[in-house]
Amino acid sequence: MTMPPPQATPTPHPVASIAPPVPAATSAGAAADQDLIDNEPALLAMLGDLKKLQAEFNLRNDFNMFDAVGMQRQEIRHSRFLAYLLDPRNPHGLGSEFLRAVLAQAVSTNRPPNVSALRVETANLDLSTVYCERDHFDVSVEIPSLKLLFVIENKIDALESQNQLNNYRDHALLRYKDFNFLGVFLTVNGYQGDDTAWSAMGYGTIIAALKRAREYSSLPPDTDMAIRHYISLVERNIVASQPLIDACKALYKQHRTAIDLVVTHGQQSALKEAFLRFADGKPIKTASVRSTTVYFFFNSWGYEGHPNAITGAWPSTLPVLLWFQLDANRFFLRLEVGPFEGTDGGTQRAALVESLRTRFKVRGNAKDTSTATFTKILKWEEKLAGEPDENLLFATMEKLWKKPDKALETIVEDALKTVPVSSSVSASPTAP
């Protein structure tokens, strides 16, 4: 299991702090060996708890039918399986429970709601018709009892095309004139699309709905096994469940010294090393480094009293960040707004998004930005012409860095300072 990198400067372990200085002639490898020897009990204890974690969350390399057919992140196959389970007419044993659970979640985040939550809970959904890959929609559901067309646009690794959601909504409204439209933009982490008339939904929500439907249904053994395998596939390859995230946090807290050693002396991240070279001499600060992403910001954005973000869902207290993303053979630089904290956070967030869109002259539907979680403002892209090693990633970062407006730093800083903030002083932006 891959453990997340530490989000703060590692605490020196007690044994190393009192050990005699390593002679200059001693190699880095010998120093690493001594670290591991000194902390052998801590590492063994961590390994024991890792085995318990593997057993509890089924993280061992057991047989999984979806792994066997290479489905891990294939959007079309995920769409087809979800469409099968959403269709009440199919002999899976879920009836309309899964459709109702997903629909209820979509309605809860749709503003204004096209159908009431009470109607979703009480309507007869058994005559609904589900299609996959029809009219360019990944999954579409005709629900006569609600006079509703429910559409799911599924994105795992691919990105939303220019105006894609807006065009799909226009097409749906033209084709289904007698139906209301409810669209869901399904992504790994509930990413908000450009057309905020679509509800944002993450794969974690889909899995929670599937677990709920499974609990309320009496399933044949083969269906139950397939659903368990699918849940395991998603939680291992796409998005971790909240209980697993909580367990990992507890494990890190308990075995911080040992895990820090593994991170320090384990595999080096080409992305991290490339970014360290890229950031050298630039007026920027790192917010978070992950396996395929690096979040960062200009020093001037982190002024005292800036509006605060919800750090549980965002890698910094600063609500607007730049980030590099490695995606197969493509590399991206993005400017994005995250979630705001506080009771008036929605109003603050909408004001910042609208201000940035106006200043950068970018198109966007600001109708529902107050309830969105993530809103992308700008993005730049470069194709990678080879294996993404440190040198290629560094060169690509430099190439992408030349694409934004030279006034990017001051434009965002000015936009941030127009957002009304509470009287409390904001914390300094978080860093790894």
Side-chain angles (χ1 to χ4, degrees):
M1 182 185 70
T2 302
M3 300 303 298
Q7 300 299 305
T9 303
T11 304
H13 50 81
V15 177
S17 64
I18 61 174
V22 179
T26 303
S27 68
D33 289 343
Q34 189 60 49
D35 263 346
L36 298 178
I37 292 170
D38 291 342
N39 289 275
E40 183 176 334
L43 288 166
L44 290 173
M46 179 194 71
L47 290 174
D49 283 345
L50 277 175
K51 290 180 181 178
K52 294 177 184 177
L53 187 74
Q54 286 179 321
E56 182 178 355
F57 291 95
N58 194 28
L59 300 177
R60 293 165 296 188
N61 192 25
D62 295 335
F63 170 76
N64 185 296
M65 65 174 70
F66 298 106
D67 273 326
V69 297
M71 181 174 158
Q72 290 89 341
R73 301 182 73 89
Q74 293 191 7
E75 290 170 5
I76 293 177
R77 292 185 178 182
H78 279 274
S79 296
R80 288 175 180 169
F81 187 66
L82 291 174
Y84 181 84
L85 296 181
L86 286 167
D87 194 335
R89 306 178 191 220
N90 285 331
H92 41 56
L94 292 170
S96 60
E97 286 301 322
F98 182 44
L99 172 59
R100 195 182 308 277
V102 175
L103 192 59
Q105 183 60 38
V107 166
S108 71
T109 57
N110 185 245
R111 296 291 183 274
N114 291 336
V115 61
S116 73
L118 180 61
R119 288 197 66 200
V120 168
E121 288 298 332
T122 58
N124 180 0
L125 305 181
D126 293 344
L127 297 180
S128 302
T129 305
V130 181
Y131 302 97
C132 189
E133 298 296 321
R134 185 194 191 200
D135 294 327
H136 304 292
F137 304 143
D138 291 333
V139 180
S140 55
V141 188
E142 296 176 9
I143 309 175
S145 61
L146 296 174
K147 281 289 183 181
L148 185 71
L149 176 68
F150 179 44
V151 175
I152 299 175
E153 177 60 21
N154 183 21
K155 298 290 185 187
I156 296 179
D157 289 323
L159 300 170
E160 174 192 359
S161 303
Q162 185 70 29
N163 297 328
Q164 181 180 6
L165 296 181
N166 194 293
N167 291 340
Y168 281 6
R169 180 163 59 92
D170 289 345
H171 177 70
L173 293 173
L174 184 63
R175 179 180 173 88
Y176 295 86
K177 295 180 180 179
D178 297 330
F179 279 62
N180 286 321
F181 172 81
L182 176 60
V184 160
F185 189 40
L186 175 61
T187 61
V188 172
N189 293 314
Y191 199 87
Q192 180 70 50
D194 284 339
D195 182 1
T196 52
W198 292 66
S199 297
M201 187 177 293
Y203 261 84
T205 301
I206 288 289
I207 292 304
L210 186 53
K211 288 179 178 178
R212 169 188 158 184
R214 177 172 173 249
E215 181 182 347
Y216 292 163
S217 307
S218 179
L219 303 179
D222 52 353
T223 302
D224 190 58
M225 181 183 71
I227 289 175
R228 284 191 291 105
H229 281 213
Y230 183 71
I231 291 171
S232 175
L233 177 92
V234 172
E235 292 185 339
R236 290 171 61 176
N237 295 282
I238 297 179
V239 59
S241 65
Q242 192 57 49
L244 176 57
I245 292 172
D246 293 341
C248 288
K249 287 180 178 178
L251 185 70
Y252 179 67
K253 184 177 181 181
Q254 183 178 358
H255 298 289
R256 179 174 183 137
T257 298
I259 293 172
D260 286 349
L261 280 173
V262 173
V263 172
T264 300
H265 300 302
Q267 183 179 7
Q268 293 298 309
S269 165
L271 184 64
K272 180 179 180 179
E273 294 305 315
F275 183 76
L276 289 175
R277 288 171 57 189
F278 166 80
D280 187 33
K282 293 183 176 68
I284 59 176
K285 189 174 296 184
T286 311
S288 174
V289 180
R290 300 173 183 174
S291 59
T292 59
T293 56
V294 182
Y295 290 83
F296 62 101
F297 56 93
F298 280 98
N299 296 334
S300 61
W301 297 357
Y303 61 89
E304 187 175 285
H306 66 74
N308 268 352
I310 302 173
T311 54
W314 186 246
S316 174
T317 60
L318 192 67
V320 57
L321 294 173
L322 288 157
W323 55 294
F324 285 119
Q325 179 191 20
L326 175 61
D327 177 15
N329 66 336
R330 296 179 298 173
F331 202 59
F332 298 91
L333 172 62
R334 306 176 188 274
L335 177 69
E336 186 170 13
V337 177
F340 274 59
E341 70 172 15
T343 55
D344 58 345
T347 303
Q348 295 174 342
R349 189 180 191 284
L352 178 59
V353 170
E354 186 59 28
S355 177
L356 289 171
R357 283 174 171 164
T358 300
R359 292 163 189 266
F360 285 112
K361 296 181 173 63
V362 295
R363 182 179 176 276
N365 185 347
K367 171 184 172 184
D368 199 31
T369 51
S370 60
T371 58
T373 304
F374 310 104
T375 303
K376 53 190 174 186
I377 306 297
L378 295 168
K379 72 175 180 181
W380 302 270
E381 176 182 355
E382 282 288 333
K383 285 190 176 180
L384 295 175
E387 188 68 22
D389 58 17
E390 179 186 332
N391 290 330
L392 178 58
L393 291 176
F394 168 71
T396 309
M397 287 177 183
E398 292 287 358
K399 194 178 294 185
L400 282 170
W401 193 240
K402 296 176 182 177
K403 293 190 174 187
D405 190 310
K406 292 182 179 179
L408 172 68
E409 177 183 3
T410 55
I411 290 174
V412 175
E413 181 184 0
D414 291 343
L416 272 169
K417 290 181 177 178
T418 64
V419 177
V421 295
S422 59
S423 57
S424 59
V425 177
S426 300
S428 298
T430 52

